[in-house]
């Protein structure tokens, strides 16, 4: 009987913990128009493999996987929050011009493949260029909301 009560308590706790997060696969037409437009304009040579609507603690977001391996997170309004290009580089539109310029000037030959929009700025992941001490390794760069370089992330 004691084991049953422990099991029942654990099951109820698990159900309560999971009730705050809900993921539902959706048709790409159910994505916000802003998200669909962003994908069409910046990833014209690929298709949407899957789209999910997620609600966690009352906050809605969308997760999209493209056929080229790119994963994009959008907020409830369809603005991108995170882009990760598995087998390609980030589209120019995902980077502020000041961020692109900084990368070209300070890390020539490197390519940006991931960006996260954070509160107050951006975190960009680039691959180290071939002439660097660790070619092909990842370098994280932190920029403020205006695209001004802050620091490398470790």
């Amino acid at each position: 009987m004691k084991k049953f009560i422990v099991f029942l308590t654990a099951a109820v706790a698990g159900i309560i913990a999971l009730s705050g997060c809900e993921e539902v696969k959706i048709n790409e037409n159910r994505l916000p128009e802003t998200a669909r437009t962003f994908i069409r304009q910046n990833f014209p040579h690929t298709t949407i493999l899957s789209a999910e609507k997620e609600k966690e603690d009352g906050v809605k977001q969308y997760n999209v996987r493209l056929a080229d391996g790119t994963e994009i997170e959008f907020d409830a309004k369809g603005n991108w929050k995170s882009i990760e290009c598995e087998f390609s580089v980030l589209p120019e539109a995902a980077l502020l011009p000041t961020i692109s310029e900084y990368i070209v000037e300070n890390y020539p030959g490197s390519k940006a493949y991931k960006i996260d929009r954070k509160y107050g700025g951006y975190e960009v992941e680039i691959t180290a260029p071939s002439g660097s001490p660790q070619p092909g390794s990842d370098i994280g760069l932190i920029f403020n909301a205006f695209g001004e370089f802050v620091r490398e992330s470790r």
Side-chain angles (χ1 to χ4, degrees):
M1 183 68 172
K2 198 174 200 179
K3 287 183 182 180
F4 177 73
I5 292 173
V6 170
F7 172 76
L8 188 59
T9 304
V12 169
I15 290 170
I16 291 171
L18 291 175
S19 66
C21 181
E22 154 186 347
E23 289 181 15
V24 178
K25 290 201 180 289
I26 61 169
N27 184 294
E28 65 185 75
N29 295 329
R30 299 206 41 218
L31 289 169
E33 182 59 37
T34 307
R36 290 193 317 247
T37 300
F38 179 82
I39 293 168
R40 274 194 309 271
Q41 290 176 347
N42 296 288
F43 298 93
H45 303 294
T46 190
T47 57
I48 296 175
L49 279 183
S50 66
E52 292 179 347
K53 179 177 166 183
E54 182 178 314
K55 190 173 187 181
E56 186 171 341
D57 296 330
V59 178
K60 208 185 320 182
Q61 78 173 26
Y62 298 90
N63 300 313
V64 176
R65 178 178 280 283
L66 304 179
D68 68 357
T70 299
E71 293 183 13
I72 310 170
E73 287 183 22
F74 295 98
D75 65 16
K77 295 180 181 177
N79 301 307
W80 68 264
K81 294 172 48 178
S82 172
I83 306 169
E84 183 170 5
C85 298
E86 188 76 26
F87 304 108
S88 61
V89 297
L90 285 171
E92 284 294 317
L95 297 171
L96 294 175
T98 52
I99 294 176
S100 292
E101 291 165 10
Y102 181 86
I103 292 170
V104 167
E105 290 173 13
N106 295 282
Y107 299 91
S110 65
K111 303 293 182 197
Y113 66 91
K114 181 179 180 183
I115 186 168
D116 290 312
R117 190 175 285 173
K118 305 277 187 182
Y119 182 74
Y122 303 89
E123 184 171 358
V124 179
E125 295 285 327
I126 62 172
T127 55
S130 58
S132 69
Q134 294 180 321
S137 63
D138 300 336
I139 300 172
L141 306 174
I142 305 293
F143 297 88
N144 67 19
F146 303 106
E148 298 164 338
F149 178 73
V150 176
R151 64 181 167 80
E152 280 190 17
S153 66
R154 299 280 174 208

